[in-house]
Amino acid sequence: MAGPRMTIPTQLVLRALLEEPDREMYGLQICAAAGLPTGTIHPILARLEKVGWLRSRWEEIDPGEQGRPRRRYYSVNPDSAAAVRAALHRVEASHQALLRLRPDLAGGAQ
């Protein structure tokens, strides 16, 4: 199966989750680590889970006792970690190749 579109926000989410690949993170933690607003990451997380790159689980708490809703925790699927890293590497290599062809792009708008 082909991977998801590797937009910059998608790359940021994946890089945040790969910082500690064995750690589960919930939405607000991922937002903070990726530097993205809350409304941005949930569609990305859903796409990444659909292609099998992430896995998720709902925490088992009583929301009434905790005084907050249950959190959904996400982590990189160990079976897909190599594919995730390879996709990020390809994006970085493409970016570097583009900069070699068009060094003017490295400095942004002039």
Side-chain angles (χ1 to χ4, degrees), residues 58-110:
W58 286 101
E59 74 177 333
E60 296 180 21
I61 65 160
D62 180 338
E65 285 181 15
Q66 297 295 316
R68 63 170 175 80
R70 292 186 311 153
R71 294 175 177 156
R72 189 168 183 175
Y73 284 91
Y74 296 87
S75 61
V76 174
N77 183 341
D79 296 336
S80 300
V84 171
R85 286 186 180 92
L88 288 169
H89 179 74
R90 282 191 303 274
V91 167
E92 181 62 28
S94 293
H95 178 72
Q96 293 302 319
L98 179 62
L99 290 179
R100 282 191 298 277
L101 292 172
R102 295 279 314 271
D104 58 306
L105 295 176
Q110 303 223 357

Tab-separated table of all heavy atoms in Angstrom, residues 58-110:
chain	number	residue	atom	x	y	z
A	58	TRP	N	-7.747	3.780	23.032
A	58	TRP	CA	-8.399	4.670	23.990
A	58	TRP	C	-7.943	4.282	25.379
A	58	TRP	O	-7.866	3.094	25.704
A	58	TRP	CB	-9.920	4.550	23.890
A	58	TRP	CG	-10.481	5.210	22.680
A	58	TRP	CD1	-10.873	4.603	21.513
A	58	TRP	CD2	-10.717	6.602	22.505
A	58	TRP	NE1	-11.331	5.539	20.628
A	58	TRP	CE2	-11.246	6.783	21.208
A	58	TRP	CE3	-10.526	7.717	23.305
A	58	TRP	CZ2	-11.597	8.021	20.704
A	58	TRP	CZ3	-10.873	8.966	22.811
A	58	TRP	CH2	-11.407	9.108	21.527
A	59	GLU	N	-7.645	5.271	26.204
A	59	GLU	CA	-7.267	4.951	27.576
A	59	GLU	C	-8.487	4.431	28.325
A	59	GLU	O	-9.625	4.768	28.001
A	59	GLU	CB	-6.638	6.146	28.275
A	59	GLU	CG	-7.574	7.235	28.682
A	59	GLU	CD	-6.877	8.360	29.432
A	59	GLU	OE1	-5.837	8.145	30.079
A	59	GLU	OE2	-7.407	9.473	29.362
A	60	GLU	N	-8.227	3.585	29.285
A	60	GLU	CA	-9.300	2.984	30.058
A	60	GLU	C	-9.428	3.705	31.391
A	60	GLU	O	-8.774	3.343	32.370
A	60	GLU	CB	-9.029	1.496	30.248
A	60	GLU	CG	-9.042	0.742	28.926
A	60	GLU	CD	-8.768	-0.739	29.090
A	60	GLU	OE1	-8.947	-1.277	30.201
A	60	GLU	OE2	-8.368	-1.343	28.086
A	61	ILE	N	-10.243	4.761	31.382
A	61	ILE	CA	-10.526	5.505	32.605
A	61	ILE	C	-12.020	5.755	32.679
A	61	ILE	O	-12.731	5.592	31.690
A	61	ILE	CB	-9.792	6.867	32.650
A	61	ILE	CG1	-10.310	7.789	31.525
A	61	ILE	CG2	-8.285	6.699	32.582
A	61	ILE	CD1	-10.029	9.260	31.740
A	62	ASP	N	-12.465	6.152	33.827
A	62	ASP	CA	-13.834	6.620	33.989
A	62	ASP	C	-13.780	8.140	33.888
A	62	ASP	O	-13.239	8.802	34.784
A	62	ASP	CB	-14.379	6.179	35.350
A	62	ASP	CG	-15.813	6.642	35.578
A	62	ASP	OD1	-16.264	7.617	34.917
A	62	ASP	OD2	-16.485	6.036	36.426
A	63	PRO	N	-14.300	8.715	32.793
A	63	PRO	CA	-14.233	10.167	32.622
A	63	PRO	C	-14.859	10.937	33.786
A	63	PRO	O	-14.382	12.010	34.150
A	63	PRO	CB	-14.995	10.421	31.329
A	63	PRO	CG	-14.900	9.133	30.580
A	63	PRO	CD	-14.910	8.067	31.641
A	64	GLY	N	-15.904	10.377	34.389
A	64	GLY	CA	-16.536	11.037	35.530
A	64	GLY	C	-15.607	11.127	36.721
A	64	GLY	O	-15.539	12.148	37.406
A	65	GLU	N	-14.880	10.050	36.977
A	65	GLU	CA	-13.933	10.043	38.092
A	65	GLU	C	-12.741	10.957	37.821
A	65	GLU	O	-12.243	11.618	38.725
A	65	GLU	CB	-13.413	8.625	38.351
A	65	GLU	CG	-14.398	7.727	39.042
A	65	GLU	CD	-13.812	6.343	39.292
A	65	GLU	OE1	-12.571	6.172	39.187
A	65	GLU	OE2	-14.601	5.433	39.588
A	66	GLN	N	-12.286	10.961	36.594
A	66	GLN	CA	-11.095	11.742	36.238
A	66	GLN	C	-11.413	13.211	35.976
A	66	GLN	O	-10.521	14.049	35.977
A	66	GLN	CB	-10.407	11.150	35.003
A	66	GLN	CG	-9.872	9.749	35.205
A	66	GLN	CD	-8.758	9.703	36.235
A	66	GLN	OE1	-7.866	10.542	36.232
A	66	GLN	NE2	-8.831	8.728	37.133
A	67	GLY	N	-12.675	13.503	35.695
A	67	GLY	CA	-13.063	14.880	35.415
A	67	GLY	C	-12.600	15.377	34.059
A	67	GLY	O	-12.419	16.573	33.851
A	68	ARG	N	-12.382	14.441	33.133
A	68	ARG	CA	-11.970	14.789	31.772
A	68	ARG	C	-12.337	13.643	30.839
A	68	ARG	O	-12.540	12.513	31.280
A	68	ARG	CB	-10.470	15.067	31.696
A	68	ARG	CG	-9.610	13.859	32.037
A	68	ARG	CD	-8.140	14.106	31.709
A	68	ARG	NE	-7.295	13.009	32.137
A	68	ARG	CZ	-7.136	11.862	31.485
A	68	ARG	NH1	-7.777	11.636	30.363
A	68	ARG	NH2	-6.326	10.933	31.955
A	69	PRO	N	-12.409	13.925	29.543
A	69	PRO	CA	-12.699	12.848	28.591
A	69	PRO	C	-11.526	11.872	28.484
A	69	PRO	O	-10.386	12.204	28.837
A	69	PRO	CB	-12.904	13.574	27.258
A	69	PRO	CG	-12.745	15.023	27.513
A	69	PRO	CD	-12.303	15.222	28.919
A	70	ARG	N	-11.843	10.681	27.992
A	70	ARG	CA	-10.776	9.712	27.722
A	70	ARG	C	-9.854	10.260	26.643
A	70	ARG	O	-10.284	11.006	25.771
A	70	ARG	CB	-11.357	8.381	27.220
A	70	ARG	CG	-12.130	7.625	28.230
A	70	ARG	CD	-12.558	6.257	27.743
A	70	ARG	NE	-13.181	6.307	26.416
A	70	ARG	CZ	-13.178	5.287	25.559
A	70	ARG	NH1	-12.600	4.151	25.873
A	70	ARG	NH2	-13.763	5.395	24.395
A	71	ARG	N	-8.604	9.874	26.692
A	71	ARG	CA	-7.635	10.274	25.676
A	71	ARG	C	-7.383	9.096	24.724
A	71	ARG	O	-7.388	7.946	25.143
A	71	ARG	CB	-6.305	10.664	26.331
A	71	ARG	CG	-6.418	11.900	27.176
A	71	ARG	CD	-5.125	12.165	27.895
A	71	ARG	NE	-5.226	13.405	28.653
A	71	ARG	CZ	-4.498	13.680	29.710
A	71	ARG	NH1	-3.595	12.828	30.147
A	71	ARG	NH2	-4.657	14.836	30.330
A	72	ARG	N	-7.132	9.464	23.493
A	72	ARG	CA	-6.741	8.454	22.513
A	72	ARG	C	-5.233	8.575	22.348
A	72	ARG	O	-4.728	9.649	22.012
A	72	ARG	CB	-7.454	8.671	21.182
A	72	ARG	CG	-7.258	7.535	20.216
A	72	ARG	CD	-8.216	7.677	19.069
A	72	ARG	NE	-8.097	6.551	18.167
A	72	ARG	CZ	-8.874	6.366	17.130
A	72	ARG	NH1	-9.834	7.229	16.855
A	72	ARG	NH2	-8.712	5.327	16.350
A	73	TYR	N	-4.541	7.495	22.580
A	73	TYR	CA	-3.082	7.488	22.505
A	73	TYR	C	-2.633	6.901	21.178
A	73	TYR	O	-3.188	5.909	20.706
A	73	TYR	CB	-2.488	6.675	23.656
A	73	TYR	CG	-2.538	7.414	24.968
A	73	TYR	CD1	-3.620	7.293	25.821
A	73	TYR	CD2	-1.494	8.247	25.339
A	73	TYR	CE1	-3.671	7.979	27.021
A	73	TYR	CE2	-1.535	8.940	26.538
A	73	TYR	CZ	-2.619	8.806	27.366
A	73	TYR	OH	-2.666	9.495	28.553
A	74	TYR	N	-1.604	7.522	20.599
A	74	TYR	CA	-1.058	7.114	19.312
A	74	TYR	C	0.410	6.754	19.458
A	74	TYR	O	1.126	7.334	20.278
A	74	TYR	CB	-1.159	8.265	18.295
A	74	TYR	CG	-2.566	8.651	17.973
A	74	TYR	CD1	-3.244	9.583	18.750
A	74	TYR	CD2	-3.242	8.078	16.897
A	74	TYR	CE1	-4.549	9.946	18.465
A	74	TYR	CE2	-4.547	8.433	16.601
A	74	TYR	CZ	-5.194	9.360	17.390
A	74	TYR	OH	-6.490	9.703	17.105
A	75	SER	N	0.847	5.822	18.640
A	75	SER	CA	2.271	5.477	18.561
A	75	SER	C	2.552	4.946	17.164
A	75	SER	O	1.636	4.544	16.429
A	75	SER	CB	2.648	4.436	19.619
A	75	SER	OG	1.914	3.247	19.426
A	76	VAL	N	3.830	4.953	16.822
A	76	VAL	CA	4.240	4.405	15.531
A	76	VAL	C	4.059	2.895	15.592
A	76	VAL	O	4.466	2.250	16.558
A	76	VAL	CB	5.710	4.764	15.222
A	76	VAL	CG1	6.187	4.088	13.951
A	76	VAL	CG2	5.877	6.270	15.129
A	77	ASN	N	3.439	2.343	14.571
A	77	ASN	CA	3.277	0.897	14.480
A	77	ASN	C	4.665	0.291	14.287
A	77	ASN	O	5.344	0.622	13.311
A	77	ASN	CB	2.366	0.558	13.293
A	77	ASN	CG	2.083	-0.912	13.165
A	77	ASN	OD1	2.794	-1.747	13.699
A	77	ASN	ND2	1.030	-1.233	12.431
A	78	PRO	N	5.123	-0.567	15.199
A	78	PRO	CA	6.468	-1.138	15.058
A	78	PRO	C	6.685	-1.836	13.715
A	78	PRO	O	7.792	-1.825	13.191
A	78	PRO	CB	6.571	-2.133	16.220
A	78	PRO	CG	5.541	-1.702	17.201
A	78	PRO	CD	4.445	-1.050	16.403
A	79	ASP	N	5.628	-2.422	13.167
A	79	ASP	CA	5.735	-3.098	11.874
A	79	ASP	C	5.948	-2.114	10.727
A	79	ASP	O	6.350	-2.515	9.634
A	79	ASP	CB	4.487	-3.931	11.590
A	79	ASP	CG	4.308	-5.070	12.579
A	79	ASP	OD1	5.314	-5.506	13.181
A	79	ASP	OD2	3.161	-5.514	12.761
A	80	SER	N	5.663	-0.831	10.947
A	80	SER	CA	5.770	0.181	9.896
A	80	SER	C	6.856	1.217	10.163
A	80	SER	O	7.051	2.123	9.348
A	80	SER	CB	4.427	0.901	9.735
A	80	SER	OG	3.422	-0.006	9.376
A	81	ALA	N	7.560	1.098	11.264
A	81	ALA	CA	8.552	2.117	11.629
A	81	ALA	C	9.602	2.304	10.537
A	81	ALA	O	9.980	3.440	10.222
A	81	ALA	CB	9.216	1.763	12.960
A	82	ALA	N	10.054	1.225	9.935
A	82	ALA	CA	11.067	1.336	8.872
A	82	ALA	C	10.494	2.078	7.671
A	82	ALA	O	11.176	2.911	7.064
A	82	ALA	CB	11.576	-0.041	8.476
A	83	ALA	N	9.245	1.809	7.320
A	83	ALA	CA	8.608	2.489	6.187
A	83	ALA	C	8.434	3.973	6.481
A	83	ALA	O	8.616	4.816	5.593
A	83	ALA	CB	7.251	1.852	5.876
A	84	VAL	N	8.099	4.311	7.715
A	84	VAL	CA	7.938	5.713	8.115
A	84	VAL	C	9.274	6.443	7.989
A	84	VAL	O	9.357	7.522	7.391
A	84	VAL	CB	7.386	5.823	9.549
A	84	VAL	CG1	7.419	7.255	10.043
A	84	VAL	CG2	5.976	5.248	9.623
A	85	ARG	N	10.306	5.833	8.538
A	85	ARG	CA	11.633	6.459	8.453
A	85	ARG	C	12.092	6.598	6.998
A	85	ARG	O	12.671	7.622	6.615
A	85	ARG	CB	12.645	5.655	9.262
A	85	ARG	CG	12.485	5.838	10.752
A	85	ARG	CD	13.611	5.133	11.527
A	85	ARG	NE	13.436	5.327	12.941
A	85	ARG	CZ	12.765	4.485	13.743
A	85	ARG	NH1	12.215	3.396	13.246
A	85	ARG	NH2	12.643	4.744	15.016
A	86	ALA	N	11.844	5.581	6.192
A	86	ALA	CA	12.237	5.628	4.775
A	86	ALA	C	11.492	6.745	4.042
A	86	ALA	O	12.087	7.464	3.229
A	86	ALA	CB	11.977	4.277	4.104
A	87	ALA	N	10.211	6.910	4.336
A	87	ALA	CA	9.421	7.968	3.689
A	87	ALA	C	9.956	9.344	4.075
A	87	ALA	O	10.095	10.227	3.230
A	87	ALA	CB	7.949	7.839	4.057
A	88	LEU	N	10.280	9.528	5.350
A	88	LEU	CA	10.839	10.805	5.786
A	88	LEU	C	12.208	11.051	5.146
A	88	LEU	O	12.528	12.172	4.760
A	88	LEU	CB	10.939	10.851	7.314
A	88	LEU	CG	9.613	10.998	8.051
A	88	LEU	CD1	9.806	10.767	9.552
A	88	LEU	CD2	8.980	12.354	7.783
A	89	HIS	N	12.985	9.999	5.006
A	89	HIS	CA	14.293	10.126	4.360
A	89	HIS	C	14.132	10.524	2.889
A	89	HIS	O	14.861	11.390	2.394
A	89	HIS	CB	15.070	8.816	4.483
A	89	HIS	CG	16.402	8.859	3.818
A	89	HIS	ND1	17.478	9.537	4.347
A	89	HIS	CD2	16.825	8.332	2.646
A	89	HIS	CE1	18.498	9.421	3.532
A	89	HIS	NE2	18.137	8.698	2.495
A	90	ARG	N	13.168	9.911	2.198
A	90	ARG	CA	12.925	10.260	0.785
A	90	ARG	C	12.513	11.719	0.643
A	90	ARG	O	12.964	12.412	-0.265
A	90	ARG	CB	11.845	9.352	0.177
A	90	ARG	CG	12.339	7.975	-0.203
A	90	ARG	CD	11.325	7.204	-1.029
A	90	ARG	NE	10.033	7.050	-0.390
A	90	ARG	CZ	9.730	6.074	0.470
A	90	ARG	NH1	10.630	5.168	0.801
A	90	ARG	NH2	8.526	6.011	0.994
A	91	VAL	N	11.667	12.192	1.540
A	91	VAL	CA	11.237	13.591	1.492
A	91	VAL	C	12.437	14.510	1.693
A	91	VAL	O	12.605	15.498	0.971
A	91	VAL	CB	10.152	13.866	2.565
A	91	VAL	CG1	9.923	15.342	2.741
A	91	VAL	CG2	8.864	13.165	2.200
A	92	GLU	N	13.264	14.191	2.666
A	92	GLU	CA	14.444	15.013	2.933
A	92	GLU	C	15.405	14.982	1.734
A	92	GLU	O	15.942	16.018	1.344
A	92	GLU	CB	15.159	14.531	4.197
A	92	GLU	CG	16.378	15.339	4.570
A	92	GLU	CD	16.085	16.794	4.891
A	92	GLU	OE1	14.976	17.120	5.337
A	92	GLU	OE2	16.992	17.626	4.684
A	93	ALA	N	15.603	13.817	1.141
A	93	ALA	CA	16.483	13.714	-0.028
A	93	ALA	C	15.926	14.516	-1.201
A	93	ALA	O	16.678	15.194	-1.911
A	93	ALA	CB	16.664	12.246	-0.413
A	94	SER	N	14.617	14.471	-1.401
A	94	SER	CA	13.989	15.253	-2.474
A	94	SER	C	14.171	16.741	-2.232
A	94	SER	O	14.459	17.502	-3.153
A	94	SER	CB	12.504	14.948	-2.574
A	94	SER	OG	12.312	13.631	-2.994
A	95	HIS	N	14.010	17.142	-0.984
A	95	HIS	CA	14.173	18.548	-0.621
A	95	HIS	C	15.610	19.003	-0.888
A	95	HIS	O	15.843	20.075	-1.461
A	95	HIS	CB	13.801	18.755	0.848
A	95	HIS	CG	13.977	20.153	1.329
A	95	HIS	ND1	13.143	21.174	0.952
A	95	HIS	CD2	14.917	20.701	2.140
A	95	HIS	CE1	13.546	22.296	1.515
A	95	HIS	NE2	14.623	22.031	2.240
A	96	GLN	N	16.574	18.180	-0.499
A	96	GLN	CA	17.982	18.522	-0.715
A	96	GLN	C	18.309	18.590	-2.211
A	96	GLN	O	19.042	19.484	-2.646
A	96	GLN	CB	18.898	17.519	-0.006
A	96	GLN	CG	18.817	17.577	1.505
A	96	GLN	CD	19.155	18.946	2.056
A	96	GLN	OE1	20.070	19.613	1.599
A	96	GLN	NE2	18.398	19.378	3.055
A	97	ALA	N	17.751	17.667	-2.990
A	97	ALA	CA	17.982	17.678	-4.438
A	97	ALA	C	17.388	18.937	-5.057
A	97	ALA	O	18.009	19.560	-5.927
A	97	ALA	CB	17.382	16.429	-5.077
A	98	LEU	N	16.221	19.325	-4.615
A	98	LEU	CA	15.581	20.539	-5.119
A	98	LEU	C	16.433	21.766	-4.796
A	98	LEU	O	16.606	22.655	-5.637
A	98	LEU	CB	14.178	20.689	-4.535
A	98	LEU	CG	13.402	21.923	-4.951
A	98	LEU	CD1	13.175	21.927	-6.462
A	98	LEU	CD2	12.074	21.975	-4.224
A	99	LEU	N	16.985	21.804	-3.590
A	99	LEU	CA	17.821	22.940	-3.208
A	99	LEU	C	19.117	22.999	-4.021
A	99	LEU	O	19.626	24.084	-4.299
A	99	LEU	CB	18.138	22.904	-1.714
A	99	LEU	CG	16.962	23.194	-0.790
A	99	LEU	CD1	17.387	23.099	0.666
A	99	LEU	CD2	16.350	24.549	-1.081
A	100	ARG	N	19.629	21.834	-4.420
A	100	ARG	CA	20.818	21.830	-5.275
A	100	ARG	C	20.486	22.389	-6.654
A	100	ARG	O	21.283	23.095	-7.259
A	100	ARG	CB	21.398	20.424	-5.404
A	100	ARG	CG	22.203	20.004	-4.183
A	100	ARG	CD	22.993	18.727	-4.431
A	100	ARG	NE	22.159	17.584	-4.717
A	100	ARG	CZ	21.565	16.810	-3.797
A	100	ARG	NH1	21.714	17.084	-2.518
A	100	ARG	NH2	20.852	15.770	-4.145
A	101	LEU	N	19.286	22.075	-7.140
A	101	LEU	CA	18.858	22.566	-8.453
A	101	LEU	C	18.458	24.034	-8.392
A	101	LEU	O	18.643	24.778	-9.353
A	101	LEU	CB	17.680	21.743	-8.978
A	101	LEU	CG	17.992	20.306	-9.354
A	101	LEU	CD1	16.699	19.561	-9.662
A	101	LEU	CD2	18.942	20.254	-10.540
A	102	ARG	N	17.836	24.423	-7.308
A	102	ARG	CA	17.322	25.791	-7.146
A	102	ARG	C	17.772	26.355	-5.812
A	102	ARG	O	16.985	26.456	-4.867
A	102	ARG	CB	15.792	25.784	-7.202
A	102	ARG	CG	15.152	25.371	-8.516
A	102	ARG	CD	15.112	26.521	-9.535
A	102	ARG	NE	14.656	27.785	-9.013
A	102	ARG	CZ	13.371	28.195	-8.968
A	102	ARG	NH1	12.421	27.417	-9.422
A	102	ARG	NH2	13.069	29.377	-8.473
A	103	PRO	N	19.041	26.721	-5.687
A	103	PRO	CA	19.537	27.246	-4.400
A	103	PRO	C	18.787	28.492	-3.941
A	103	PRO	O	18.767	28.814	-2.753
A	103	PRO	CB	21.003	27.535	-4.649
A	103	PRO	CG	21.245	27.351	-6.094
A	103	PRO	CD	20.060	26.673	-6.700
A	104	ASP	N	18.154	29.201	-4.882
A	104	ASP	CA	17.399	30.395	-4.503
A	104	ASP	C	16.213	30.071	-3.607
A	104	ASP	O	15.712	30.940	-2.907
A	104	ASP	CB	16.925	31.138	-5.755
A	104	ASP	CG	16.062	30.283	-6.667
A	104	ASP	OD1	16.529	29.176	-7.055
A	104	ASP	OD2	14.950	30.697	-6.990
A	105	LEU	N	15.773	28.808	-3.590
A	105	LEU	CA	14.634	28.426	-2.757
A	105	LEU	C	15.016	28.322	-1.277
A	105	LEU	O	14.154	28.404	-0.408
A	105	LEU	CB	14.052	27.096	-3.220
A	105	LEU	CG	13.432	27.094	-4.617
A	105	LEU	CD1	12.983	25.695	-4.985
A	105	LEU	CD2	12.274	28.054	-4.684
A	106	ALA	N	16.271	28.163	-1.007
A	106	ALA	CA	16.710	27.977	0.383
A	106	ALA	C	16.517	29.226	1.224
A	106	ALA	O	16.239	29.147	2.403
A	106	ALA	CB	18.174	27.562	0.425
A	107	GLY	N	16.614	30.388	0.601
A	107	GLY	CA	16.505	31.632	1.356
A	107	GLY	C	15.108	32.154	1.499
A	107	GLY	O	14.874	33.167	2.141
A	108	GLY	N	14.134	31.508	0.913
A	108	GLY	CA	12.752	31.979	0.984
A	108	GLY	C	12.497	33.100	-0.007
A	108	GLY	O	13.278	33.347	-0.918
A	109	ALA	N	11.417	33.815	0.193
A	109	ALA	CA	11.032	34.913	-0.705
A	109	ALA	C	12.004	36.076	-0.580
A	109	ALA	O	12.481	36.377	0.499
A	109	ALA	CB	9.612	35.385	-0.404
A	110	GLN	N	12.266	36.711	-1.687
A	110	GLN	CA	13.202	37.836	-1.656
A	110	GLN	C	12.493	39.117	-1.969
A	110	GLN	O	11.533	39.198	-2.598
A	110	GLN	CB	14.292	37.602	-2.689
A	110	GLN	CG	14.969	36.285	-2.401
A	110	GLN	CD	16.482	36.387	-2.534
A	110	GLN	OE1	17.008	37.414	-2.887
A	110	GLN	NE2	17.127	35.318	-2.208
